[in-house]
């Protein structure tokens, strides 16, 4: 199991999300976390936007890992979002982002937060993982991929 598989639930896999910009993406994530987990939408969206304003979380290769500390959060939470169409994200390769792995962590962040970010970056740098991810078309299959992937 990947480390991310511990924090990602099938209910937090959002496929085919159509938004026009980062702000709309973060608002949609906030609304989802409010509906599913009771987190205030504005707190989540604001935290993600503040972090993104500090510097793009896009890695390139169509991937971004938006992440933020959320004061009222009790445990790390991961969400996977597939954007259709892709979104401008100030990526280093100037490409659009179609895959976003969102990490929400309690504040103050711990060493686990940095380890999780490093693991996510390594996982999404794996072309085999990205291809396997794109071949899956429902949340349960995607959750299973995160659970079962070994590199």
């Amino acid at each position: 199991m990947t480390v991310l598989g511990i924090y990602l639930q099938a209910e937090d896999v959002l496929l085919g999300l159509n938004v026009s910009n980062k702000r709309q993406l973060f608002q949609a994530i906030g609304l989802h976390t409010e509906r599913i987990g009771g987190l205030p939408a504005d707190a989540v969206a604001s935290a993600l936007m503040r972090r993104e304003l500090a510097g793009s979380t896009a890695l390139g290769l169509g991937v971004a890992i938006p992440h933020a500390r959320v004061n009222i959060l009790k445990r790390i939470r991961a969400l996977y979002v597939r954007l259709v169409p892709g979104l401008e994200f100030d990526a280093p390769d100037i490409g659009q982002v179609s895959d976003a792995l969102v990490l929400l962590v309690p504040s103050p962040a711990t060493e686990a937060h940095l380890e999780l970010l490093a693991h996510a970056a390594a996982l999404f740098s794996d072309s085999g993982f990205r291809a396997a991810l794109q071949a899956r078309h429902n949340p349960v299959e995607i959750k299973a991929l995160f659970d079962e992937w070994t590199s």
Side-chain angles (χ1 to χ4, degrees):
M1 173 183 284
T2 68
V3 174
L4 289 168
I6 297 167
Y7 303 109
L8 178 70
Q9 303 304 312
E11 67 189 9
D12 290 326
V13 174
L14 309 175
L15 302 176
L17 187 62
N18 185 347
V19 293
S20 300
N21 56 48
K22 293 177 193 180
R23 186 171 304 281
Q24 286 183 2
L25 170 61
F26 298 151
Q27 288 171 339
I29 291 164
L31 289 171
H32 174 79
T33 59
E34 183 173 81
R35 184 173 46 83
I36 297 294
L39 294 172
D42 289 342
V44 171
S46 295
L48 287 166
M49 196 68 212
R50 274 193 310 275
R51 169 56 190 89
E52 195 65 30
L53 290 172
S56 178
T57 56
L59 301 179
L61 303 170
V63 176
I65 306 177
H67 54 281
R69 296 176 187 151
V70 180
N71 289 335
I72 59 172
L73 195 62
K74 300 294 183 218
R75 63 176 180 82
I76 294 173
R77 184 153 187 187
L79 300 90
Y80 168 73
V81 181
R82 185 174 294 157
L83 298 161
V84 178
L87 185 62
E88 294 295 326
F89 228 94
D90 302 319
D93 62 2
I94 311 175
Q96 291 191 335
V97 165
S98 57
D99 295 297
L101 180 71
V102 181
L103 301 175
L104 303 173
V105 299
S107 187
T110 64
E111 186 68 25
H113 172 217
L114 297 177
E115 291 172 5
L116 192 57
L117 278 171
H119 175 74
L123 186 64
F124 277 91
S125 294
D126 183 333
S127 61
F129 177 79
R130 290 192 318 275
L133 187 59
Q134 291 305 313
R136 283 157 175 79
H137 301 289
N138 74 58
V140 172
E141 290 176 346
I142 290 170
K143 166 64 174 150
L145 178 67
F146 277 95
D147 287 346
E148 299 164 1
W149 187 262
T150 57
S151 49

